[in-house]
Amino acid sequence: KVYAWKEVTVEGQRDYDGDGVLFPVVIAPTDPNITIESTLSLFDDSKRSSTIQIIEDLLKQHHGALIFRDFPLHTVENFYSFLKSFTPPFEFGSYLGGGGPRLSILGPIETSTESPAQYIIPMHHELAYLTTPPSKLWFWCEIEPADPGNGRGSGETPLMSSKWLYNKIKEELPEFIAKLEEKGVVYTRTIESRMTGNRTTQRGWEEIFETDDRGLAEERARQTGTEVIEWVNDGRSMKVRSQKMAATKNGTWFNSLVLLHPAIHEEKDKKEVHWNVEYGDGEEIEGELVKRVYKMMNEETVKIKWRKGDVLLVDNFLALHGRSSFNPPR
């Protein structure tokens, strides 16, 4: 047992099963004067394995999300040192194939998204539209979001148990989930060049596949699950269609259906809607059903207000996350 931290309760946590297990779990240091050196010492060679195993167990017990609060992680350098304490056994992953616009900060650390502040990003599993999704996600708060106003939210990173959502959909829309599990899904997106595209909601294909070479871009697209590639708009844009992919995984809602289906983005400018999602046989997925799932997400989401220095660890196979709208800075 690690005595350097304790579980604490914060506003917004949820007890999904009525058994006192809160989502997300929040841990804080037992010593309010803990230093960054003392924090990192929890991961010394002699302790790393046991400390990480305890954190992994907490993640599984609490539906896949854990917040480190009031640890001395106030700078990006502190956060990077904290991340490196988990390696090995953790390894930094790649965002190859990921479309979200981001800025590089330090090492593997990037801004979570540069999408406009007024946009709500629906609940999703990170990169579930690729065959190479990460197993873990790390978020760190450098600047607390400003107070809500002007019809915008508080900039939280909403969370949800994917198993709970799966069971909810299975209860309310059993035929829909049965059809998805039978047929799977296929994702199609049109990726403009960074030279000509609107990069507020998606990066250019050169950035997504980390090359200016079209042949290498095609090769990397196939490495991440693309089956069909076309060059459109006079060769300026890359249209990719994924292989058939599962819509659920081990009793979870593991997909990008709500995130990427055009029915959820009807209010956006058409130039900002790059995606389509169909059943695995090419049949159109009913927009009204996707909207019903989106409504379930919005009604049952868990929102914890960010505090400076917070670190959120998400098991990408157990929990969904999104982004609330906000007033800058955040």
Side-chain angles (χ1 to χ4, degrees), residues 21-174:
V21 175
L22 297 178
F23 174 84
V25 61
V26 182
I27 61 174
T30 53
D31 178 1
N33 299 312
I34 190 172
T35 63
I36 183 64
E37 291 78 16
S38 297
T39 301
L40 298 181
S41 71
L42 295 170
F43 300 91
D44 289 344
D45 288 344
S46 62
K47 304 175 187 175
R48 180 184 297 126
S49 178
S50 60
T51 300
I52 290 176
Q53 186 59 58
I54 291 170
I55 291 170
E56 291 266 32
D57 290 344
L58 281 171
L59 270 179
K60 292 176 183 177
Q61 293 163 10
H62 292 264
H63 307 282
L66 183 154
I67 294 174
F68 298 84
R69 174 157 286 183
D70 295 333
F71 286 85
L73 303 171
H74 304 304
T75 69
V76 69
E77 290 80 12
N78 292 158
F79 178 45
Y80 191 21
S81 295
F82 185 65
L83 289 181
K84 289 189 289 186
S85 296
F86 285 79
T87 59
F90 286 15
E91 296 178 359
F92 293 121
S94 167
Y95 196 57
L96 183 72
R102 297 177 172 181
L103 299 178
S104 178
I105 303 298
L106 175 66
I109 302 170
E110 300 178 324
T111 55
S112 58
T113 175
E114 292 300 302
S115 293
Q118 70 270 23
Y119 286 175
I120 294 172
I121 300 178
M123 306 293 287
H124 60 283
H125 289 279
E126 192 70 19
L127 301 184
Y129 53 85
L130 303 179
T131 54
T132 53
S135 62
K136 303 287 192 303
L137 312 173
W138 293 91
F139 297 86
W140 170 68
C141 178
E142 180 178 29
I143 302 172
E144 295 179 22
D147 291 335
N150 302 320
R152 297 187 186 178
S154 298
E156 303 97 339
T157 300
L159 298 165
M160 176 174 283
S161 162
S162 192
K163 286 188 176 181
W164 183 91
L165 179 62
Y166 173 87
N167 290 330
K168 180 78 170 175
I169 299 169
K170 194 169 185 178
E171 176 186 336
E172 297 194 12
L173 299 171

Side-chain angles (χ1 to χ4, degrees), residues 94 96-98 126-134 185 187 189 219-227 241-246 249 254 256 317:
S94 167
L96 183 72
E126 192 70 19
L127 301 184
Y129 53 85
L130 303 179
T131 54
T132 53
V185 293
Y187 303 98
R189 60 173 160 166
E219 179 182 333
R220 290 176 175 173
R222 291 191 177 94
Q223 289 173 359
T224 55
T226 294
E227 188 169 88
R241 180 178 174 85
S242 77
Q243 62 189 57
K244 186 170 77 170
M245 302 178 70
K249 183 182 181 74
F254 193 83
S256 296
F317 298 134

Side-chain angles (χ1 to χ4, degrees), residues 186-201:
V186 169
Y187 303 98
T188 303
R189 60 173 160 166
T190 301
I191 314 170
E192 299 181 60
S193 168
R194 67 181 175 191
M195 307 302 294
T196 59
N198 177 354
R199 297 170 64 247
T200 59
T201 55

Side-chain angles (χ1 to χ4, degrees), residues 225-287:
T226 294
E227 188 169 88
V228 179
I229 301 171
E230 299 177 71
W231 291 94
V232 297
N233 299 331
D234 296 324
R236 296 190 302 273
S237 302
M238 187 179 185
K239 186 174 183 180
V240 297
R241 180 178 174 85
S242 77
Q243 62 189 57
K244 186 170 77 170
M245 302 178 70
T248 63
K249 183 182 181 74
N250 298 325
T252 66
W253 179 254
F254 193 83
N255 60 63
S256 296
L257 179 53
V258 173
L259 175 68
L260 303 176
H261 195 284
I264 305 302
H265 304 283
E266 292 173 336
E267 296 180 0
K268 289 184 181 178
D269 187 310
K270 289 186 177 180
K271 293 180 181 179
E272 298 178 347
V273 180
H274 312 281
W275 290 86
N276 192 25
V277 192
E278 302 166 307
Y279 289 110
D281 60 3
E283 180 186 350
E284 181 180 346
I285 296 178
E286 302 87 343

